[in-house]
PDB file of all heavy atoms in Angstrom:
ATOM      1  N   GLY A  15      36.322 -25.240   7.671  1.00  0.00           N
ATOM      2  CA  GLY A  15      37.471 -25.589   6.856  1.00  0.00           C
ATOM      3  C   GLY A  15      38.136 -26.891   7.206  1.00  0.00           C
ATOM      4  O   GLY A  15      39.161 -27.240   6.617  1.00  0.00           O
ATOM      5  N   LEU A  16      37.557 -27.634   8.167  1.00  0.00           N
ATOM      6  CA  LEU A  16      38.174 -28.892   8.579  1.00  0.00           C
ATOM      7  C   LEU A  16      37.437 -30.105   8.032  1.00  0.00           C
ATOM      8  O   LEU A  16      37.639 -31.235   8.481  1.00  0.00           O
ATOM      9  CB  LEU A  16      38.252 -28.964  10.111  1.00  0.00           C
ATOM     10  CG  LEU A  16      39.106 -27.864  10.763  1.00  0.00           C
ATOM     11  CD1 LEU A  16      39.144 -28.047  12.272  1.00  0.00           C
ATOM     12  CD2 LEU A  16      40.526 -27.889  10.195  1.00  0.00           C
ATOM     13  N   GLY A  17      36.524 -29.886   7.047  1.00  0.00           N
ATOM     14  CA  GLY A  17      35.872 -30.995   6.355  1.00  0.00           C
ATOM     15  C   GLY A  17      34.902 -31.777   7.201  1.00  0.00           C
ATOM     16  O   GLY A  17      34.791 -32.992   7.058  1.00  0.00           O
ATOM     17  N   TRP A  18      34.186 -31.146   8.072  1.00  0.00           N
ATOM     18  CA  TRP A  18      33.279 -31.822   9.010  1.00  0.00           C
ATOM     19  C   TRP A  18      31.862 -31.826   8.444  1.00  0.00           C
ATOM     20  O   TRP A  18      31.420 -30.843   7.870  1.00  0.00           O
ATOM     21  CB  TRP A  18      33.300 -31.084  10.350  1.00  0.00           C
ATOM     22  CG  TRP A  18      32.749 -31.883  11.507  1.00  0.00           C
ATOM     23  CD1 TRP A  18      31.462 -31.877  11.947  1.00  0.00           C
ATOM     24  CD2 TRP A  18      33.455 -32.769  12.346  1.00  0.00           C
ATOM     25  NE1 TRP A  18      31.318 -32.710  13.013  1.00  0.00           N
ATOM     26  CE2 TRP A  18      32.546 -33.284  13.299  1.00  0.00           C
ATOM     27  CE3 TRP A  18      34.783 -33.207  12.394  1.00  0.00           C
ATOM     28  CZ2 TRP A  18      32.906 -34.188  14.276  1.00  0.00           C
ATOM     29  CZ3 TRP A  18      35.144 -34.103  13.376  1.00  0.00           C
ATOM     30  CH2 TRP A  18      34.217 -34.594  14.305  1.00  0.00           C
ATOM     31  N   ALA A  19      31.156 -32.894   8.642  1.00  0.00           N
ATOM     32  CA  ALA A  19      29.750 -32.952   8.205  1.00  0.00           C
ATOM     33  C   ALA A  19      28.887 -32.300   9.273  1.00  0.00           C
ATOM     34  O   ALA A  19      28.762 -32.822  10.380  1.00  0.00           O
ATOM     35  CB  ALA A  19      29.330 -34.402   7.996  1.00  0.00           C
ATOM     36  N   ARG A  20      28.303 -31.162   8.958  1.00  0.00           N
ATOM     37  CA  ARG A  20      27.522 -30.408   9.943  1.00  0.00           C
ATOM     38  C   ARG A  20      26.078 -30.922   9.998  1.00  0.00           C
ATOM     39  O   ARG A  20      25.479 -31.257   8.964  1.00  0.00           O
ATOM     40  CB  ARG A  20      27.495 -28.923   9.584  1.00  0.00           C
ATOM     41  CG  ARG A  20      28.845 -28.353   9.199  1.00  0.00           C
ATOM     42  CD  ARG A  20      29.787 -28.219  10.383  1.00  0.00           C
ATOM     43  NE  ARG A  20      31.105 -27.740   9.973  1.00  0.00           N
ATOM     44  CZ  ARG A  20      32.110 -27.525  10.808  1.00  0.00           C
ATOM     45  NH1 ARG A  20      31.968 -27.778  12.097  1.00  0.00           N
ATOM     46  NH2 ARG A  20      33.268 -27.106  10.350  1.00  0.00           N
ATOM     47  N   THR A  21      25.522 -30.937  11.186  1.00  0.00           N
ATOM     48  CA  THR A  21      24.138 -31.372  11.378  1.00  0.00           C
ATOM     49  C   THR A  21      23.375 -30.279  12.110  1.00  0.00           C
ATOM     50  O   THR A  21      23.765 -29.867  13.213  1.00  0.00           O
ATOM     51  CB  THR A  21      24.071 -32.671  12.206  1.00  0.00           C
ATOM     52  OG1 THR A  21      24.821 -33.688  11.533  1.00  0.00           O
ATOM     53  CG2 THR A  21      22.617 -33.112  12.366  1.00  0.00           C
ATOM     54  N   GLY A  22      22.305 -29.817  11.503  1.00  0.00           N
ATOM     55  CA  GLY A  22      21.500 -28.784  12.147  1.00  0.00           C
ATOM     56  C   GLY A  22      20.617 -29.367  13.233  1.00  0.00           C
ATOM     57  O   GLY A  22      20.240 -30.531  13.195  1.00  0.00           O
ATOM     58  N   ARG A  23      20.307 -28.527  14.237  1.00  0.00           N
ATOM     59  CA  ARG A  23      19.408 -28.932  15.324  1.00  0.00           C
ATOM     60  C   ARG A  23      18.223 -27.979  15.339  1.00  0.00           C
ATOM     61  O   ARG A  23      18.381 -26.781  15.107  1.00  0.00           O
ATOM     62  CB  ARG A  23      20.128 -28.877  16.674  1.00  0.00           C
ATOM     63  CG  ARG A  23      21.272 -29.869  16.805  1.00  0.00           C
ATOM     64  CD  ARG A  23      21.870 -29.775  18.213  1.00  0.00           C
ATOM     65  NE  ARG A  23      22.887 -30.786  18.465  1.00  0.00           N
ATOM     66  CZ  ARG A  23      24.172 -30.646  18.200  1.00  0.00           C
ATOM     67  NH1 ARG A  23      24.609 -29.525  17.649  1.00  0.00           N
ATOM     68  NH2 ARG A  23      25.012 -31.619  18.460  1.00  0.00           N
ATOM     69  N   GLU A  24      17.074 -28.526  15.651  1.00  0.00           N
ATOM     70  CA  GLU A  24      15.868 -27.707  15.689  1.00  0.00           C
ATOM     71  C   GLU A  24      15.381 -27.595  17.121  1.00  0.00           C
ATOM     72  O   GLU A  24      15.297 -28.584  17.845  1.00  0.00           O
ATOM     73  CB  GLU A  24      14.783 -28.329  14.798  1.00  0.00           C
ATOM     74  CG  GLU A  24      13.580 -27.422  14.592  1.00  0.00           C
ATOM     75  CD  GLU A  24      12.650 -27.967  13.523  1.00  0.00           C
ATOM     76  OE1 GLU A  24      12.963 -27.813  12.322  1.00  0.00           O
ATOM     77  OE2 GLU A  24      11.611 -28.565  13.905  1.00  0.00           O
ATOM     78  N   VAL A  25      15.060 -26.370  17.527  1.00  0.00           N
ATOM     79  CA  VAL A  25      14.551 -26.128  18.884  1.00  0.00           C
ATOM     80  C   VAL A  25      13.320 -25.247  18.759  1.00  0.00           C
ATOM     81  O   VAL A  25      13.175 -24.464  17.812  1.00  0.00           O
ATOM     82  CB  VAL A  25      15.609 -25.449  19.772  1.00  0.00           C
ATOM     83  CG1 VAL A  25      16.827 -26.335  19.953  1.00  0.00           C
ATOM     84  CG2 VAL A  25      16.005 -24.100  19.214  1.00  0.00           C
ATOM     85  N   PRO A  26      12.378 -25.385  19.701  1.00  0.00           N
ATOM     86  CA  PRO A  26      11.158 -24.562  19.639  1.00  0.00           C
ATOM     87  C   PRO A  26      11.463 -23.093  19.965  1.00  0.00           C
ATOM     88  O   PRO A  26      12.344 -22.781  20.746  1.00  0.00           O
ATOM     89  CB  PRO A  26      10.253 -25.193  20.695  1.00  0.00           C
ATOM     90  CG  PRO A  26      11.193 -25.859  21.659  1.00  0.00           C
ATOM     91  CD  PRO A  26      12.348 -26.342  20.834  1.00  0.00           C
ATOM     92  N   MET A  27      10.717 -22.192  19.350  1.00  0.00           N
ATOM     93  CA  MET A  27      10.866 -20.756  19.591  1.00  0.00           C
ATOM     94  C   MET A  27       9.465 -20.156  19.652  1.00  0.00           C
ATOM     95  O   MET A  27       8.852 -19.837  18.623  1.00  0.00           O
ATOM     96  CB  MET A  27      11.670 -20.113  18.455  1.00  0.00           C
ATOM     97  CG  MET A  27      12.025 -18.652  18.680  1.00  0.00           C
ATOM     98  SD  MET A  27      13.254 -18.453  19.985  1.00  0.00           S
ATOM     99  CE  MET A  27      13.657 -16.705  19.762  1.00  0.00           C
ATOM    100  N   GLY A  28       8.960 -20.043  20.882  1.00  0.00           N
ATOM    101  CA  GLY A  28       7.613 -19.562  21.057  1.00  0.00           C
ATOM    102  C   GLY A  28       7.523 -18.045  21.104  1.00  0.00           C
ATOM    103  O   GLY A  28       8.535 -17.339  21.136  1.00  0.00           O
ATOM    104  N   PRO A  29       6.341 -17.473  21.088  1.00  0.00           N
ATOM    105  CA  PRO A  29       6.157 -16.024  21.186  1.00  0.00           C
ATOM    106  C   PRO A  29       6.819 -15.469  22.454  1.00  0.00           C
ATOM    107  O   PRO A  29       6.654 -16.031  23.549  1.00  0.00           O
ATOM    108  CB  PRO A  29       4.632 -15.857  21.226  1.00  0.00           C
ATOM    109  CG  PRO A  29       4.102 -17.081  20.558  1.00  0.00           C
ATOM    110  CD  PRO A  29       5.038 -18.182  20.943  1.00  0.00           C
ATOM    111  N   GLY A  30       7.574 -14.403  22.313  1.00  0.00           N
ATOM    112  CA  GLY A  30       8.258 -13.786  23.449  1.00  0.00           C
ATOM    113  C   GLY A  30       9.597 -14.405  23.777  1.00  0.00           C
ATOM    114  O   GLY A  30      10.347 -13.866  24.619  1.00  0.00           O
ATOM    115  N   ASP A  31       9.932 -15.552  23.159  1.00  0.00           N
ATOM    116  CA  ASP A  31      11.247 -16.155  23.394  1.00  0.00           C
ATOM    117  C   ASP A  31      12.332 -15.295  22.743  1.00  0.00           C
ATOM    118  O   ASP A  31      12.122 -14.698  21.677  1.00  0.00           O
ATOM    119  CB  ASP A  31      11.303 -17.572  22.813  1.00  0.00           C
ATOM    120  CG  ASP A  31      10.495 -18.568  23.641  1.00  0.00           C
ATOM    121  OD1 ASP A  31      10.092 -18.188  24.760  1.00  0.00           O
ATOM    122  OD2 ASP A  31      10.263 -19.688  23.159  1.00  0.00           O
ATOM    123  N   THR A  32      13.511 -15.267  23.385  1.00  0.00           N
ATOM    124  CA  THR A  32      14.616 -14.430  22.901  1.00  0.00           C
ATOM    125  C   THR A  32      15.875 -15.268  22.743  1.00  0.00           C
ATOM    126  O   THR A  32      16.280 -15.979  23.668  1.00  0.00           O
ATOM    127  CB  THR A  32      14.912 -13.274  23.885  1.00  0.00           C
ATOM    128  OG1 THR A  32      13.723 -12.509  24.071  1.00  0.00           O
ATOM    129  CG2 THR A  32      16.015 -12.366  23.363  1.00  0.00           C
ATOM    130  N   LEU A  33      16.468 -15.214  21.566  1.00  0.00           N
ATOM    131  CA  LEU A  33      17.713 -15.927  21.273  1.00  0.00           C
ATOM    132  C   LEU A  33      18.892 -14.991  21.529  1.00  0.00           C
ATOM    133  O   LEU A  33      18.886 -13.828  21.125  1.00  0.00           O
ATOM    134  CB  LEU A  33      17.716 -16.368  19.809  1.00  0.00           C
ATOM    135  CG  LEU A  33      19.023 -16.987  19.286  1.00  0.00           C
ATOM    136  CD1 LEU A  33      19.222 -18.380  19.870  1.00  0.00           C
ATOM    137  CD2 LEU A  33      18.996 -17.038  17.751  1.00  0.00           C
ATOM    138  N   LEU A  34      19.937 -15.522  22.184  1.00  0.00           N
ATOM    139  CA  LEU A  34      21.150 -14.744  22.476  1.00  0.00           C
ATOM    140  C   LEU A  34      22.360 -15.441  21.868  1.00  0.00           C
ATOM    141  O   LEU A  34      22.643 -16.609  22.170  1.00  0.00           O
ATOM    142  CB  LEU A  34      21.351 -14.602  23.992  1.00  0.00           C
ATOM    143  CG  LEU A  34      22.677 -13.999  24.467  1.00  0.00           C
ATOM    144  CD1 LEU A  34      22.833 -12.559  23.970  1.00  0.00           C
ATOM    145  CD2 LEU A  34      22.790 -14.059  25.980  1.00  0.00           C
ATOM    146  N   LEU A  35      23.079 -14.715  20.997  1.00  0.00           N
ATOM    147  CA  LEU A  35      24.311 -15.209  20.387  1.00  0.00           C
ATOM    148  C   LEU A  35      25.452 -14.253  20.768  1.00  0.00           C
ATOM    149  O   LEU A  35      25.285 -13.031  20.674  1.00  0.00           O
ATOM    150  CB  LEU A  35      24.185 -15.253  18.856  1.00  0.00           C
ATOM    151  CG  LEU A  35      22.980 -15.994  18.274  1.00  0.00           C
ATOM    152  CD1 LEU A  35      22.953 -15.821  16.747  1.00  0.00           C
ATOM    153  CD2 LEU A  35      23.017 -17.471  18.641  1.00  0.00           C
ATOM    154  N   VAL A  36      26.610 -14.803  21.159  1.00  0.00           N
ATOM    155  CA  VAL A  36      27.736 -13.950  21.568  1.00  0.00           C
ATOM    156  C   VAL A  36      29.042 -14.524  21.039  1.00  0.00           C
ATOM    157  O   VAL A  36      29.119 -15.695  20.634  1.00  0.00           O
ATOM    158  CB  VAL A  36      27.826 -13.822  23.106  1.00  0.00           C
ATOM    159  CG1 VAL A  36      26.554 -13.261  23.695  1.00  0.00           C
ATOM    160  CG2 VAL A  36      28.168 -15.169  23.751  1.00  0.00           C
ATOM    161  N   THR A  37      30.086 -13.692  21.079  1.00  0.00           N
ATOM    162  CA  THR A  37      31.450 -14.163  20.814  1.00  0.00           C
ATOM    163  C   THR A  37      32.181 -14.377  22.134  1.00  0.00           C
ATOM    164  O   THR A  37      31.736 -13.914  23.198  1.00  0.00           O
ATOM    165  CB  THR A  37      32.221 -13.157  19.948  1.00  0.00           C
ATOM    166  OG1 THR A  37      32.206 -11.878  20.585  1.00  0.00           O
ATOM    167  CG2 THR A  37      31.593 -13.038  18.566  1.00  0.00           C
ATOM    168  N   ASP A  38      33.315 -15.063  22.052  1.00  0.00           N
ATOM    169  CA  ASP A  38      33.978 -15.481  23.291  1.00  0.00           C
ATOM    170  C   ASP A  38      34.578 -14.326  24.098  1.00  0.00           C
ATOM    171  O   ASP A  38      34.909 -14.479  25.270  1.00  0.00           O
ATOM    172  CB  ASP A  38      35.058 -16.525  23.003  1.00  0.00           C
ATOM    173  CG  ASP A  38      36.091 -16.036  22.002  1.00  0.00           C
ATOM    174  OD1 ASP A  38      36.121 -14.831  21.698  1.00  0.00           O
ATOM    175  OD2 ASP A  38      36.881 -16.880  21.511  1.00  0.00           O
ATOM    176  N   GLY A  39      34.738 -13.125  23.489  1.00  0.00           N
ATOM    177  CA  GLY A  39      35.278 -12.000  24.237  1.00  0.00           C
ATOM    178  C   GLY A  39      34.412 -11.608  25.419  1.00  0.00           C
ATOM    179  O   GLY A  39      34.886 -10.963  26.353  1.00  0.00           O
ATOM    180  N   LEU A  40      33.116 -12.022  25.394  1.00  0.00           N
ATOM    181  CA  LEU A  40      32.225 -11.674  26.482  1.00  0.00           C
ATOM    182  C   LEU A  40      32.376 -12.596  27.684  1.00  0.00           C
ATOM    183  O   LEU A  40      32.156 -12.169  28.820  1.00  0.00           O
ATOM    184  CB  LEU A  40      30.770 -11.709  25.982  1.00  0.00           C
ATOM    185  CG  LEU A  40      29.692 -11.309  26.993  1.00  0.00           C
ATOM    186  CD1 LEU A  40      29.875  -9.867  27.433  1.00  0.00           C
ATOM    187  CD2 LEU A  40      28.300 -11.512  26.404  1.00  0.00           C
ATOM    188  N   VAL A  41      32.769 -13.832  27.456  1.00  0.00           N
ATOM    189  CA  VAL A  41      32.739 -14.809  28.549  1.00  0.00           C
ATOM    190  C   VAL A  41      34.118 -15.287  28.988  1.00  0.00           C
ATOM    191  O   VAL A  41      34.292 -15.731  30.130  1.00  0.00           O
ATOM    192  CB  VAL A  41      31.869 -16.025  28.161  1.00  0.00           C
ATOM    193  CG1 VAL A  41      30.433 -15.592  27.963  1.00  0.00           C
ATOM    194  CG2 VAL A  41      32.388 -16.710  26.905  1.00  0.00           C
ATOM    195  N   GLU A  42      35.106 -15.235  28.098  1.00  0.00           N
ATOM    196  CA  GLU A  42      36.416 -15.770  28.453  1.00  0.00           C
ATOM    197  C   GLU A  42      37.195 -14.813  29.354  1.00  0.00           C
ATOM    198  O   GLU A  42      37.190 -13.600  29.129  1.00  0.00           O
ATOM    199  CB  GLU A  42      37.242 -16.048  27.192  1.00  0.00           C
ATOM    200  CG  GLU A  42      36.812 -17.297  26.459  1.00  0.00           C
ATOM    201  CD  GLU A  42      37.777 -17.635  25.321  1.00  0.00           C
ATOM    202  OE1 GLU A  42      38.515 -16.731  24.891  1.00  0.00           O
ATOM    203  OE2 GLU A  42      37.769 -18.790  24.863  1.00  0.00           O
ATOM    204  N   ARG A  43      37.854 -15.365  30.360  1.00  0.00           N
ATOM    205  CA  ARG A  43      38.740 -14.604  31.236  1.00  0.00           C
ATOM    206  C   ARG A  43      39.988 -15.439  31.499  1.00  0.00           C
ATOM    207  O   ARG A  43      39.914 -16.675  31.572  1.00  0.00           O
ATOM    208  CB  ARG A  43      38.060 -14.256  32.559  1.00  0.00           C
ATOM    209  CG  ARG A  43      36.870 -13.321  32.398  1.00  0.00           C
ATOM    210  CD  ARG A  43      36.289 -12.906  33.726  1.00  0.00           C
ATOM    211  NE  ARG A  43      35.088 -12.085  33.558  1.00  0.00           N
ATOM    212  CZ  ARG A  43      34.349 -11.623  34.558  1.00  0.00           C
ATOM    213  NH1 ARG A  43      34.701 -11.924  35.807  1.00  0.00           N
ATOM    214  NH2 ARG A  43      33.286 -10.886  34.323  1.00  0.00           N
ATOM    215  N   ARG A  44      41.096 -14.738  31.638  1.00  0.00           N
ATOM    216  CA  ARG A  44      42.360 -15.446  31.858  1.00  0.00           C
ATOM    217  C   ARG A  44      42.306 -16.258  33.156  1.00  0.00           C
ATOM    218  O   ARG A  44      41.841 -15.772  34.188  1.00  0.00           O
ATOM    219  CB  ARG A  44      43.523 -14.450  31.926  1.00  0.00           C
ATOM    220  CG  ARG A  44      43.861 -13.815  30.593  1.00  0.00           C
ATOM    221  CD  ARG A  44      45.148 -13.011  30.696  1.00  0.00           C
ATOM    222  NE  ARG A  44      45.507 -12.394  29.425  1.00  0.00           N
ATOM    223  CZ  ARG A  44      45.142 -11.180  29.061  1.00  0.00           C
ATOM    224  NH1 ARG A  44      44.408 -10.446  29.887  1.00  0.00           N
ATOM    225  NH2 ARG A  44      45.501 -10.667  27.895  1.00  0.00           N
ATOM    226  N   GLY A  45      42.814 -17.479  33.064  1.00  0.00           N
ATOM    227  CA  GLY A  45      42.885 -18.328  34.248  1.00  0.00           C
ATOM    228  C   GLY A  45      41.560 -18.903  34.684  1.00  0.00           C
ATOM    229  O   GLY A  45      41.446 -19.445  35.779  1.00  0.00           O
ATOM    230  N   GLU A  46      40.537 -18.808  33.823  1.00  0.00           N
ATOM    231  CA  GLU A  46      39.208 -19.274  34.193  1.00  0.00           C
ATOM    232  C   GLU A  46      38.691 -20.240  33.142  1.00  0.00           C
ATOM    233  O   GLU A  46      38.873 -20.018  31.944  1.00  0.00           O
ATOM    234  CB  GLU A  46      38.268 -18.070  34.329  1.00  0.00           C
ATOM    235  CG  GLU A  46      36.854 -18.419  34.753  1.00  0.00           C
ATOM    236  CD  GLU A  46      35.977 -17.185  34.848  1.00  0.00           C
ATOM    237  OE1 GLU A  46      35.427 -16.773  33.804  1.00  0.00           O
ATOM    238  OE2 GLU A  46      35.855 -16.628  35.954  1.00  0.00           O
ATOM    239  N   ASP A  47      38.030 -21.285  33.589  1.00  0.00           N
ATOM    240  CA  ASP A  47      37.447 -22.253  32.666  1.00  0.00           C
ATOM    241  C   ASP A  47      36.294 -21.600  31.906  1.00  0.00           C
ATOM    242  O   ASP A  47      35.534 -20.803  32.458  1.00  0.00           O
ATOM    243  CB  ASP A  47      36.945 -23.475  33.456  1.00  0.00           C
ATOM    244  CG  ASP A  47      36.421 -24.563  32.525  1.00  0.00           C
ATOM    245  OD1 ASP A  47      37.238 -25.305  31.982  1.00  0.00           O
ATOM    246  OD2 ASP A  47      35.187 -24.626  32.359  1.00  0.00           O
ATOM    247  N   ILE A  48      36.155 -21.953  30.620  1.00  0.00           N
ATOM    248  CA  ILE A  48      35.133 -21.349  29.784  1.00  0.00           C
ATOM    249  C   ILE A  48      33.730 -21.625  30.322  1.00  0.00           C
ATOM    250  O   ILE A  48      32.821 -20.791  30.185  1.00  0.00           O
ATOM    251  CB  ILE A  48      35.256 -21.844  28.318  1.00  0.00           C
ATOM    252  CG1 ILE A  48      34.294 -21.082  27.395  1.00  0.00           C
ATOM    253  CG2 ILE A  48      35.032 -23.337  28.253  1.00  0.00           C
ATOM    254  CD1 ILE A  48      34.602 -19.621  27.270  1.00  0.00           C
ATOM    255  N   GLU A  49      33.550 -22.747  30.981  1.00  0.00           N
ATOM    256  CA  GLU A  49      32.232 -23.078  31.522  1.00  0.00           C
ATOM    257  C   GLU A  49      31.821 -22.114  32.621  1.00  0.00           C
ATOM    258  O   GLU A  49      30.634 -21.836  32.811  1.00  0.00           O
ATOM    259  CB  GLU A  49      32.213 -24.522  32.043  1.00  0.00           C
ATOM    260  CG  GLU A  49      32.232 -25.577  30.949  1.00  0.00           C
ATOM    261  CD  GLU A  49      30.993 -25.478  30.046  1.00  0.00           C
ATOM    262  OE1 GLU A  49      29.899 -25.140  30.559  1.00  0.00           O
ATOM    263  OE2 GLU A  49      31.115 -25.743  28.840  1.00  0.00           O
ATOM    264  N   THR A  50      32.803 -21.610  33.350  1.00  0.00           N
ATOM    265  CA  THR A  50      32.493 -20.625  34.385  1.00  0.00           C
ATOM    266  C   THR A  50      31.924 -19.357  33.758  1.00  0.00           C
ATOM    267  O   THR A  50      30.953 -18.772  34.240  1.00  0.00           O
ATOM    268  CB  THR A  50      33.755 -20.282  35.198  1.00  0.00           C
ATOM    269  OG1 THR A  50      34.276 -21.487  35.776  1.00  0.00           O
ATOM    270  CG2 THR A  50      33.450 -19.278  36.297  1.00  0.00           C
ATOM    271  N   GLY A  51      32.537 -18.940  32.655  1.00  0.00           N
ATOM    272  CA  GLY A  51      32.043 -17.755  31.967  1.00  0.00           C
ATOM    273  C   GLY A  51      30.671 -17.962  31.360  1.00  0.00           C
ATOM    274  O   GLY A  51      29.814 -17.066  31.393  1.00  0.00           O
ATOM    275  N   LEU A  52      30.433 -19.152  30.797  1.00  0.00           N
ATOM    276  CA  LEU A  52      29.123 -19.444  30.227  1.00  0.00           C
ATOM    277  C   LEU A  52      28.049 -19.484  31.312  1.00  0.00           C
ATOM    278  O   LEU A  52      26.907 -19.046  31.091  1.00  0.00           O
ATOM    279  CB  LEU A  52      29.170 -20.769  29.473  1.00  0.00           C
ATOM    280  CG  LEU A  52      29.961 -20.753  28.158  1.00  0.00           C
ATOM    281  CD1 LEU A  52      30.119 -22.166  27.603  1.00  0.00           C
ATOM    282  CD2 LEU A  52      29.275 -19.846  27.124  1.00  0.00           C
ATOM    283  N   GLY A  53      28.413 -19.988  32.482  1.00  0.00           N
ATOM    284  CA  GLY A  53      27.464 -19.989  33.601  1.00  0.00           C
ATOM    285  C   GLY A  53      27.118 -18.573  34.035  1.00  0.00           C
ATOM    286  O   GLY A  53      25.957 -18.266  34.361  1.00  0.00           O
ATOM    287  N   ARG A  54      28.118 -17.715  34.052  1.00  0.00           N
ATOM    288  CA  ARG A  54      27.880 -16.317  34.416  1.00  0.00           C
ATOM    289  C   ARG A  54      26.949 -15.651  33.396  1.00  0.00           C
ATOM    290  O   ARG A  54      26.052 -14.886  33.759  1.00  0.00           O
ATOM    291  CB  ARG A  54      29.228 -15.600  34.494  1.00  0.00           C
ATOM    292  CG  ARG A  54      29.154 -14.167  34.946  1.00  0.00           C
ATOM    293  CD  ARG A  54      30.536 -13.621  35.305  1.00  0.00           C
ATOM    294  NE  ARG A  54      31.518 -13.919  34.284  1.00  0.00           N
ATOM    295  CZ  ARG A  54      32.574 -14.724  34.462  1.00  0.00           C
ATOM    296  NH1 ARG A  54      32.772 -15.327  35.630  1.00  0.00           N
ATOM    297  NH2 ARG A  54      33.436 -14.941  33.487  1.00  0.00           N
ATOM    298  N   LEU A  55      27.161 -15.952  32.105  1.00  0.00           N
ATOM    299  CA  LEU A  55      26.311 -15.384  31.065  1.00  0.00           C
ATOM    300  C   LEU A  55      24.887 -15.903  31.191  1.00  0.00           C
ATOM    301  O   LEU A  55      23.920 -15.135  31.026  1.00  0.00           O
ATOM    302  CB  LEU A  55      26.885 -15.736  29.690  1.00  0.00           C
ATOM    303  CG  LEU A  55      26.066 -15.283  28.481  1.00  0.00           C
ATOM    304  CD1 LEU A  55      25.917 -13.771  28.464  1.00  0.00           C
ATOM    305  CD2 LEU A  55      26.714 -15.772  27.181  1.00  0.00           C
ATOM    306  N   ARG A  56      24.743 -17.169  31.493  1.00  0.00           N
ATOM    307  CA  ARG A  56      23.392 -17.747  31.604  1.00  0.00           C
ATOM    308  C   ARG A  56      22.616 -17.077  32.735  1.00  0.00           C
ATOM    309  O   ARG A  56      21.428 -16.772  32.586  1.00  0.00           O
ATOM    310  CB  ARG A  56      23.497 -19.250  31.847  1.00  0.00           C
ATOM    311  CG  ARG A  56      22.143 -19.953  31.924  1.00  0.00           C
ATOM    312  CD  ARG A  56      22.309 -21.447  31.991  1.00  0.00           C
ATOM    313  NE  ARG A  56      21.023 -22.129  31.896  1.00  0.00           N
ATOM    314  CZ  ARG A  56      20.882 -23.447  31.743  1.00  0.00           C
ATOM    315  NH1 ARG A  56      21.963 -24.219  31.642  1.00  0.00           N
ATOM    316  NH2 ARG A  56      19.678 -23.986  31.676  1.00  0.00           N
ATOM    317  N   ARG A  57      23.288 -16.814  33.860  1.00  0.00           N
ATOM    318  CA  ARG A  57      22.605 -16.168  34.982  1.00  0.00           C
ATOM    319  C   ARG A  57      22.194 -14.736  34.647  1.00  0.00           C
ATOM    320  O   ARG A  57      21.155 -14.249  35.092  1.00  0.00           O
ATOM    321  CB  ARG A  57      23.506 -16.181  36.214  1.00  0.00           C
ATOM    322  CG  ARG A  57      23.713 -17.569  36.819  1.00  0.00           C
ATOM    323  CD  ARG A  57      24.423 -17.497  38.146  1.00  0.00           C
ATOM    324  NE  ARG A  57      25.788 -16.986  38.014  1.00  0.00           N
ATOM    325  CZ  ARG A  57      26.851 -17.741  37.737  1.00  0.00           C
ATOM    326  NH1 ARG A  57      26.705 -19.048  37.548  1.00  0.00           N
ATOM    327  NH2 ARG A  57      28.050 -17.203  37.671  1.00  0.00           N
ATOM    328  N   ALA A  58      23.025 -14.063  33.862  1.00  0.00           N
ATOM    329  CA  ALA A  58      22.721 -12.669  33.517  1.00  0.00           C
ATOM    330  C   ALA A  58      21.696 -12.561  32.406  1.00  0.00           C
ATOM    331  O   ALA A  58      21.020 -11.531  32.269  1.00  0.00           O
ATOM    332  CB  ALA A  58      24.006 -11.943  33.104  1.00  0.00           C
ATOM    333  N   ALA A  59      21.540 -13.607  31.602  1.00  0.00           N
ATOM    334  CA  ALA A  59      20.696 -13.525  30.407  1.00  0.00           C
ATOM    335  C   ALA A  59      19.230 -13.319  30.737  1.00  0.00           C
ATOM    336  O   ALA A  59      18.444 -12.902  29.876  1.00  0.00           O
ATOM    337  CB  ALA A  59      20.867 -14.781  29.562  1.00  0.00           C
ATOM    338  N   GLY A  60      18.823 -13.592  31.967  1.00  0.00           N
ATOM    339  CA  GLY A  60      17.425 -13.397  32.340  1.00  0.00           C
ATOM    340  C   GLY A  60      16.968 -11.959  32.166  1.00  0.00           C
ATOM    341  O   GLY A  60      15.765 -11.691  32.069  1.00  0.00           O
ATOM    342  N   ALA A  61      17.917 -11.016  32.113  1.00  0.00           N
ATOM    343  CA  ALA A  61      17.559  -9.608  31.924  1.00  0.00           C
ATOM    344  C   ALA A  61      16.914  -9.367  30.573  1.00  0.00           C
ATOM    345  O   ALA A  61      16.316  -8.307  30.336  1.00  0.00           O
ATOM    346  CB  ALA A  61      18.809  -8.733  32.074  1.00  0.00           C
TER     347      ALA A  61
END
């Protein structure tokens, strides 16, 4: 709704690759930088 020109990005997706999409309720914590939460998610995503 802010009138931005969106540009799509293409990335490879090979057999067995898994895409993970989440909302911020999973990673955000009070008093913590969002990057810290994203790092925690990245480490756990190997499961």
Side-chain angles (χ1 to χ4, degrees):
L16 298 181
W18 197 268
R20 314 289 177 179
T21 302
R23 295 183 174 88
E24 190 170 282
V25 297
M27 187 70 170
D31 287 348
T32 303
L33 173 72
L34 171 63
L35 307 175
V36 302
T37 56
D38 56 12
L40 182 62
V41 296
E42 284 188 340
R43 295 185 184 178
R44 289 189 180 92
E46 182 181 85
D47 184 80
I48 187 65
E49 288 298 325
T50 302
L52 289 171
R54 184 167 48 245
L55 177 61
R56 182 173 187 170
R57 290 189 295 274

